[in-house]
Amino acid sequence: MAVDVIMPQMGESIFEGTITKWLKKPGDKVERDEPLFEISTDKVDAEIPSPSAGVLKEIKVNEGQTVPIQTVVALIEADGAAAAAPAPAPPKAETPRQAAAPPKAEAAKSAAAAPPPAKPAPAAAVAPARAATNGEKIRSSPLVRRLAREHSVDLAQVPGTGAGGRVSKRDILGAIESGGARLAARPSAPPPAGAAHVVLETAVPREKMYFGHYEVQPMSVMRQRIAEHMVLSKRVSPHVYSVDEANVSGIAALRAKMKDKFEAAAGTKLTFMPFFVRAAVEALRAFPTVNSSIDGTNVILHQECNVGIAVALDWGLIVPVIKNAEEKNFLGLARSINDLAERARAKKLKPEEVAESTFSITNPGVFGGLFGLPVINQPNVAILGLGAIEKRPVVVDDAIAIRSMVYLTLSYDHRVVDGAVAHRFMGKLKHTLENWTESVL
């Protein structure tokens, strides 16, 4: 008996997903709940388990293709492997792969021919979707409607390329970008596939980028999403930055003393991050404006401190969220941070675990960075950057001393957070770190 494998819905506002990798090939035996393929959506990358034990009979959707939820992406022969042998042919067909991933086709043309890459393929893919939405009822997610409202975009004029003509986030971002004279004046006028494409299109003329010896590598789905979010954030929020320095010698000594005992008792590692999260929560409670979002002319002051922690992956970046961080003790924070980071790297996060953050923290210091000026993670109004913790000579009571120091940076949205508030927030953060009293166990 053949069992359909469908594209799951990974959240209320998600209506499509991209298959990034098949973990099995036709003819392979699979167990029920064994990871079968990986997908990427607007919110999370995840491994999708097999719905049945049996043999993977046929793959209907190739790697790189984006399809609506509930689409049958594969068939599993639950009664045995006999029927699975002839199945490998469909995934190897060239036409579906080229249609699903025009950037790869364009990349191949670019590398083999003249500097400007092939232009017609993306336009051909977009045109039918644009025509299909004319006269139809507008279908979109809450995120799309919010973006349209914030940028005064008429959704009726936006071509929908999603399932059933739905206006996707990619469509609305393309419409926002194409509203500028620069894009309107270009001879190849089709709306960009997403803000990641816009980054390349608007920087310099395309013919200026392709010269000499080069290799074209299409962005991964996650990298496209990161690019979209970063362009959106810089366009929406007027970024201002504040930098401070904290003496964390006491915390460094406490961690060195307790890390072995902590791991034995708690079953998780003692890192520096829980100290910074705890201090950030105290500062957020003291200055709630930093723990807010902006909706038009309204400021939404969040009652919960949902702290997003940026996790670097080999294939990109993701920001899992510690919900209600103000309710957790130090041990609870440490366990949550380590658990989310581990599952992020294993692609085990759920969509709700990367949503609803009210404030974010990123740690370039773990890679040796002195400090960074991060981009705000929308819809937050601020993000904290942590530099490297290193021993430096400092003045203590009119004497030179060696202390463990760290640079702290706050990127904030100047529409709602003023410099005075930002620096007082940083002062509270610094005071908590330098005068640590909480037990770690």
Side-chain angles (χ1 to χ4, degrees), residues 402-424:
I402 303 299
R403 294 290 185 268
S404 294
M405 306 297 293
V406 62
Y407 284 110
L408 308 170
T409 60
L410 186 72
S411 305
Y412 52 97
D413 189 329
H414 213 352
R415 292 178 299 171
V416 66
V417 180
D418 293 327
V421 173
H423 284 284
R424 290 168 64 198

Side-chain angles (χ1 to χ4, degrees), residues 123-351:
V126 175
R130 179 184 299 183
T133 58
N134 290 340
E136 296 182 1
K137 182 179 178 182
I138 302 171
R139 300 174 64 196
S140 60
S141 68
L143 171 62
V144 168
R145 292 192 291 273
R146 178 174 65 80
L147 290 173
R149 185 171 63 251
E150 289 179 355
H151 296 275
S152 301
V153 174
D154 182 3
L155 280 179
Q157 304 302 317
V158 179
T161 62
R166 179 179 297 277
V167 179
S168 67
K169 185 177 74 171
R170 179 177 298 179
D171 297 328
I172 189 65
L173 289 173
I176 293 169
E177 285 293 336
S178 63
R182 285 181 300 176
L183 287 179
R186 294 185 63 86
S188 55
H197 188 62
V198 171
V199 174
L200 300 181
E201 287 281 22
T202 57
V204 294
R206 297 175 76 180
E207 59 270 16
K208 299 292 186 182
M209 290 185 262
Y210 294 86
F211 54 84
H213 301 285
Y214 59 85
E215 176 186 355
V216 177
Q217 294 183 347
M219 286 184 176
S220 66
V221 174
M222 173 173 276
R223 180 52 56 187
Q224 291 180 45
R225 298 295 179 264
I226 292 172
E228 291 172 6
H229 291 312
M230 296 301 97
V231 171
L232 173 67
S233 185
K234 294 293 283 189
R235 183 175 58 243
V236 168
S237 298
H239 283 57
V240 182
Y241 310 95
S242 294
V243 181
D244 210 331
E245 187 178 25
N247 179 350
V248 291
S249 299
I251 288 175
L254 177 62
R255 176 179 175 272
K257 176 183 176 181
M258 295 291 295
K259 62 181 181 179
D260 292 336
K261 181 179 179 181
F262 184 90
E263 186 169 359
T268 190
K269 291 183 178 180
L270 178 59
T271 67
F272 282 106
M273 186 57 76
F275 295 96
F276 290 106
V277 173
R278 165 61 73 214
V281 167
E282 293 302 313
L284 290 171
R285 296 174 72 178
F287 300 95
T289 305
V290 184
N291 194 52
S292 68
S293 299
I294 300 177
D295 180 19
T297 56
N298 295 324
V299 178
I300 304 168
L301 298 172
H302 300 289
Q303 301 301 308
E304 301 85 11
C305 294
N306 295 345
V307 181
I309 308 294
V311 177
L313 309 172
D314 290 340
W315 56 94
L317 180 76
I318 198 166
V319 187
V321 181
I322 303 172
K323 302 288 180 68
N324 300 107
E326 77 283 358
E327 296 180 358
K328 298 181 183 295
N329 61 13
F330 185 91
L331 178 57
L333 287 175
R335 283 176 170 162
S336 295
I337 292 167
N338 292 339
D339 171 62
L340 288 171
E342 289 171 6
R343 289 194 291 114
R345 297 186 180 101
K347 298 185 178 181
K348 301 293 186 183
L349 290 176
K350 301 174 183 177

Side-chain angles (χ1 to χ4, degrees), residues 55-70:
V55 174
L56 182 58
K57 179 180 180 181
E58 180 182 357
I59 291 176
K60 292 180 172 289
V61 178
N62 295 317
E63 293 179 359
Q65 275 191 267
T66 300
V67 295
I69 59 172
Q70 304 305 317

Side-chain angles (χ1 to χ4, degrees), residues 3-6 31-34 36-37 48-53 76:
V3 176
D4 290 341
V5 180
I6 64 170
E31 299 296 331
R32 181 180 176 86
D33 295 328
E34 181 182 6
L36 184 60
F37 61 98
I48 304 303
S50 172
S52 172
I76 291 177

